[in-house]
Amino acid sequence: MAILVTGGAGFIGSHTCVELLNAGFDVVVLDNLSNASEKSLERVKELTGKTVKFYRADILDRDALNNIFDKEDIESVINFAGLKAVGESVRKPWEYYENNIAGTLTLVDVMRQHNCKNIIFSSSATVYGDPVEIPITEKCPKGVCTNPYGWTKSMLEQILTDIQKADNEWNVVLLRYFNPIGAHPSGKMGENPNGIPNNLMPYITQVAVGKLDHLTIFGDDYDTPDGTGVRDYIHVVDLAKGHVKALSKLKPGTGLSIYNLGTGVGYSVLDIVKNFEKANDIKIKYEIGPRRAGDVAACYSDATKAKEELGWEAEFGILEMCRDSWNWQKNNPNGYDD
């Protein structure tokens, strides 16, 4: 029996493949490589000594999905496949709704036709909108999302909840990530964005490596200790291990489970810059720009539920996240193209 990892060649997906293989699972990967590299799966093999079976395909491609489920003995699915750039989603809402929602609906339909009713869904803290409480627990009501990317996560959570409610043979885990950064401690795997990065840490590392001149910090007038936005940053390896732990919830009768995956600690943008400089002895040039539409002042988690029910908690600290991010970038200045 194998785990199908959609989007498995991407940043979080590839790191999760490493942890799944290390835990003894067989892994099948589906990825269309629109924002990923097949070379990440070569690194997975290098790190684990094990091979994943790879299908280059899209979750919108029903025939390709049927082919995988016909050929492979898939027990559960971890669904990472989806477009994920917040700014781009504002410019291209149709593409985001089509890819993320229609794609996942097609995947779930093929799953049920093959009597595979176990899924872990890659959700996001964006579903909380501007949170009504901080730290955020899973009991915090979902809010008004500020961009189409966030809405796709919120809508898919509702769709999967309704599917499970209608058919109790389904076991669904919704994992709400906070802000994944870092890279595999080996320096062989990390975040490899196409073009200008959308996320803070790859932006910082590309400034450090000389690919970008400076970091733009969007706003320094928030109601936070230093005026810059506060977020809960989590090491990608900790996040990957959370998915392995979550597989324990994909058992008959478990139903629907929701977990925050974060550290429970909020760091500002300037905190991250200072910790990166401290961890790696490198100065980061930055400029203050205007606030970015849709950003909230502060957002960090209470991940107690994951600790109590899954036996999971984040192990890496902020200095390790900064160190591993730089270790990846300096050894792979052009990502997987080196």
Side-chain angles (χ1 to χ4, degrees):
M1 303 290 274
I3 310 297
L4 174 63
V5 182
T6 67
F11 176 44
I12 303 171
S14 59
H15 284 80
T16 300
C17 287
V18 169
E19 299 306 323
L20 288 167
L21 291 166
N22 285 341
F25 292 96
D26 293 326
V27 176
V28 176
V29 167
L30 174 149
D31 201 302
N32 67 5
L33 303 182
S34 64
N35 192 26
S37 171
E38 194 174 346
K39 292 178 182 176
S40 68
L41 300 178
E42 296 172 10
R43 305 289 177 91
V44 169
K45 182 179 180 181
E46 207 176 315
L47 289 167
T48 65
K50 300 175 182 177
T51 303
V52 299
K53 191 167 286 189
F54 174 61
Y55 291 86
R56 182 171 183 174
D58 197 294
I59 56 170
L60 282 159
D61 187 340
R62 184 179 293 270
D63 290 340
L65 289 172
N66 277 317
N67 177 53
I68 293 170
F69 278 88
D70 287 342
K71 285 185 175 179
E72 310 294 340
D73 190 9
I74 305 297
E75 180 180 32
S76 304
V77 174
I78 302 178
N79 184 23
F80 293 109
L83 300 174
K84 63 175 185 176
V86 169
E88 183 183 60
S89 78
V90 176
R91 298 192 306 273
K92 298 181 176 180
W94 185 89
E95 285 81 358
Y96 271 68
Y97 289 121
E98 165 74 0
N99 185 85
N100 294 8
I101 294 182
T104 299
L105 283 172
T106 304
L107 171 66
V108 169
D109 191 32
V110 171
M111 285 176 66
R112 66 179 180 175
Q113 289 174 13
H114 289 81
N115 201 34
C116 174
K117 296 183 178 181
N118 299 311
I119 187 168
I120 295 173
F121 177 61
S122 164
S123 192
S124 165
T126 56
V127 302
Y128 293 114
D130 195 350
V132 298
E133 63 181 21
I134 295 178
I136 302 167
T137 70
E138 292 84 355
K139 292 180 180 177
C140 179
K142 288 165 67 173
V144 176
C145 296
T146 55
N147 54 75
Y149 162 75
W151 278 119
T152 67
K153 295 297 187 184
S154 184
M155 291 174 182
L156 283 167
E157 280 199 2
Q158 188 62 52
I159 288 166
L160 291 168
T161 299
D162 290 343
I163 287 170
Q164 195 285 322
K165 191 182 295 183
D167 179 357
N168 62 16
E169 289 184 0
W170 277 93
N171 300 296
V172 174
V173 179
L174 308 177
L175 295 181
R176 294 172 176 168
Y177 312 159
F178 281 70
N179 293 65
I181 61 173
H184 196 274
S186 67
K188 293 183 182 295
M189 290 172 54
E191 193 162 8
N192 186 41
N194 290 336
I196 296 175
N198 291 288
N199 299 326
L200 175 62
M201 186 54 77
Y203 219 116
I204 290 174
T205 60
Q206 288 195 15
V207 171
V209 84
K211 293 183 75 172
L212 296 173
D213 176 67
H214 66 276
L215 167 72
T216 300
I217 295 176
F218 298 108
D220 63 349
D221 57 349
Y222 286 103
D223 184 17
T224 61
D226 64 19
T228 64
V230 171
R231 298 291 182 270
D232 186 339
Y233 295 91
I234 177 173
H235 198 294
V236 65
V237 172
D238 279 332
L239 189 59
K241 290 178 178 177
H243 292 77
V244 179
K245 292 285 191 180
L247 287 170
S248 66
K249 286 292 177 180
L250 299 183
K251 292 177 179 174
T254 305
L256 175 73
S257 306
I258 302 173
Y259 298 100
N260 288 335
L261 293 185
T263 64
V265 180
Y267 289 99
S268 73
V269 176
L270 284 175
D271 285 333
I272 298 298
V273 171
K274 290 171 185 174
N275 276 284
F276 186 90
E277 292 178 336
K278 179 180 178 181
N280 302 304
D281 196 25
I282 296 172
K283 291 298 290 182
I284 298 297
K285 181 181 176 183
Y286 67 85
E287 296 177 359
I288 304 297
R291 288 189 184 191
R292 189 169 52 181
D295 279 351
V296 298
C299 178
Y300 56 93
S301 72
D302 180 332
T304 303
K305 185 180 177 186
K307 181 178 180 179
E308 292 177 348
E309 295 188 13
L310 300 178
W312 174 91
E313 62 181 327
E315 298 173 14
F316 291 96
I318 193 64
L319 288 173
E320 293 162 305
M321 297 182 215
C322 292
R323 178 202 65 203
D324 291 342
S325 294
W326 176 234
N327 189 37
W328 154 253
Q329 184 74 77
K330 72 180 180 183
N331 287 308
N332 307 269
N334 298 305
Y336 291 112
D337 291 332
D338 286 318

